[in-house]
Amino acid sequence: QLQLVESGGGLVQPGGSLRLSCAASGFTLDNRAIGWFRQAPGKEREGVSCISSSGGSTNYADSVKGRFTISRDNAKNTVYLQINNLKPEDTAIYYCAARRYACSRYAPSYGYWGQGTQVTVSS
């Protein structure tokens, strides 16, 4: 079974940190770009970050630049999203998704999606 599984979400106070993981099973992430998206209640899905298949290219939404860091460990078939200085507006369900090779802002171009992990930022 081909699937992506996110983990690492939770409830954290403003200013706190989390590390989200996106682990693949049933297929390798070696030749796939991985994007992180998030969706808050009542809002559209938003692209947060993406890393190319080689890891040589990354990009971030303006709202998270300087606070989020995406990385990958192909040996573990896992991609990570380090989130620092969390803000209440970061509250959302975070999804990872995979597509061939290069990153894209076009969410429907991603063929595999995880089930999401909830991040809640509140004091």
Side-chain angles (χ1 to χ4, degrees):
Q1 185 177 2
L2 308 180
Q3 61 178 351
L4 294 171
V5 179
E6 303 93 337
S7 62
L11 173 64
V12 63
Q13 293 185 342
S17 297
L18 287 173
R19 188 175 80 157
L20 307 184
S21 298
C22 172
S25 62
F27 67 107
T28 178
L29 294 181
D30 287 3
N31 61 351
R32 298 184 189 273
I34 302 298
W36 282 96
F37 297 80
R38 66 185 181 185
Q39 188 163 22
K43 295 188 177 181
E44 293 186 355
R45 183 172 48 191
E46 172 191 19
V48 172
S49 181
C50 185
I51 186 166
S52 64
S53 57
S54 68
S57 176
T58 59
N59 58 59
Y60 300 92
D62 288 343
S63 59
V64 306
K65 281 180 181 176
R67 300 188 298 120
F68 289 21
T69 303
I70 192 170
S71 62
R72 65 189 301 151
D73 184 341
N74 285 345
K76 295 183 178 179
N77 220 24
T78 301
V79 172
Y80 304 98
L81 186 69
Q82 178 68 41
I83 308 176
N84 297 327
N85 190 22
L86 276 156
K87 303 176 180 181
E89 53 263 40
D90 294 319
T91 295
I93 299 174
Y94 284 70
Y95 302 89
C96 65
R99 72 186 302 274
R100 289 281 188 180
Y101 307 120
C103 289
S104 171
R105 296 181 182 273
Y106 185 55
S109 71
Y110 289 77
Y112 299 99
W113 289 81
Q115 82 292 346
T117 186
Q118 177 71 49
V119 172
T120 302
V121 185
S122 175
S123 55

